[in-house]
Amino acid sequence: MMKIKIDGKDVDLSVLNSKPHTLYDFMSNEIVNFISKGKVIKDIYLNGTKFDELLIDDAKAKTIGLDEDGELSIITMSSNNLILESISAINNYFNDLLKNLSKVSDLLRIGNDKDGFNDFAADLKGVTAFVQIMDKLAPFLNIDYSIYTYKEKTIKAYFDDLEAVLSKILETQKSRDYTMLADIIEFEMEPLLKVWQEVLESFKTKI
């Protein structure tokens, strides 16, 4: 039988009315009975190995039966700390992203579009992930992006600006106008991401 610990304390599944059969069942329906209000999952360890993908990979979680031998250790943290860590992680990512965008625009201007596009493809995935994270953070922050403002402009408007820049980049890629793409990256995308760093810092005052 799988041994389950939450913050170092053993979980007694016998107190449940219906026993979960898989890790997915436990995570989806029962774990709320063992985690204090205001706490969220930070890390998952399966037999001593960090396995955080089990938080988002439902298919994998369904393959792990709780009748198997082993130990599942779950570490929690306050939702506020999670938000602060997430904001700090995004800001650190943006620092690296901005450096890489500068490199990408330089590559495009000298005609090295192959390397420029390879690097930029990864950058665009990162920006997409940022939008998804911000969408998930909204309920935790208790912020309505269409109302909350920074420098007299709503956060939704900043999202709209980012979407407009991404659309412009897509059109420029199609036309293969690499000089124009480099200009958009340097003079529109980079300044906007710097503003977003300021926006993220302002969120910390809401926590």
Side-chain angles (χ1 to χ4, degrees), residues 10-123:
D10 292 334
V11 170
D12 182 8
L13 295 179
S14 67
V15 302
L16 300 174
N17 292 326
S18 59
K19 285 189 177 182
H21 297 290
T22 68
L23 176 59
Y24 175 80
D25 297 332
F26 178 72
M27 300 286 289
S28 300
N29 305 311
E30 310 297 347
I31 197 170
V32 293
N33 296 300
F34 302 99
I35 292 182
S36 304
K37 187 176 180 180
K39 293 278 190 176
V40 292
I41 297 174
K42 178 185 179 185
D43 297 310
I44 293 181
Y45 293 86
L46 184 61
N47 298 325
T49 301
K50 195 171 183 181
F51 227 138
D52 288 351
E53 56 261 44
L54 292 174
L55 282 168
I56 56 176
D57 193 335
D58 292 345
K60 187 171 288 186
K62 288 176 181 178
T63 66
I64 300 174
L66 296 185
D67 56 349
E68 300 174 13
D69 291 331
E71 179 176 295
L72 179 74
S73 178
I74 296 171
I75 310 299
T76 68
M77 67 189 306
S78 73
S79 55
N80 282 359
N81 284 340
L82 176 64
I83 293 167
L84 287 171
E85 284 195 5
S86 297
I87 290 174
S88 294
I90 293 170
N91 257 332
N92 289 336
Y93 168 72
F94 274 177
N95 286 332
D96 292 335
L97 177 60
L98 286 165
K99 292 176 185 175
N100 198 58
L101 286 176
S102 179
K103 173 186 166 187
V104 166
S105 59
D106 287 342
L107 286 171
L108 292 172
R109 284 198 175 96
I110 64 174
N112 190 347
D113 53 280
K114 182 178 179 182
D115 289 339
F117 274 133
N118 286 340
D119 287 350
F120 192 51
D123 293 338

Side-chain angles (χ1 to χ4, degrees), residues 138-153:
F140 287 107
L141 291 167
N142 196 26
I143 285 178
D144 183 342
Y145 291 147
S146 65
I147 298 174
Y148 184 82
T149 61
Y150 176 73
K151 291 186 176 180
E152 301 181 354
K153 187 172 179 177

Side-chain angles (χ1 to χ4, degrees), residues 142-207:
N142 196 26
I143 285 178
D144 183 342
Y145 291 147
S146 65
I147 298 174
Y148 184 82
T149 61
Y150 176 73
K151 291 186 176 180
E152 301 181 354
K153 187 172 179 177
T154 68
I155 302 305
K156 183 182 181 304
Y158 286 115
F159 275 118
D160 291 342
D161 289 345
L162 184 58
E163 182 179 341
V165 170
L166 292 174
S167 295
K168 192 181 293 186
I169 285 171
L170 181 61
E171 289 303 313
T172 308
Q173 285 178 313
K174 289 179 180 177
S175 65
R176 298 182 181 276
D177 188 340
Y178 304 130
T179 301
M180 176 65 76
L181 179 57
D183 286 345
I184 294 172
I185 292 171
E186 181 177 356
F187 299 115
E188 296 187 47
M189 192 171 194
E190 289 184 40
L192 184 55
L193 292 180
K194 288 176 181 177
V195 171
W196 264 110
Q197 287 187 301
E198 296 175 8
V199 171
L200 291 170
E201 284 300 314
S202 77
F203 281 151
K204 290 184 179 180
T205 64
K206 297 284 293 182
I207 300 171

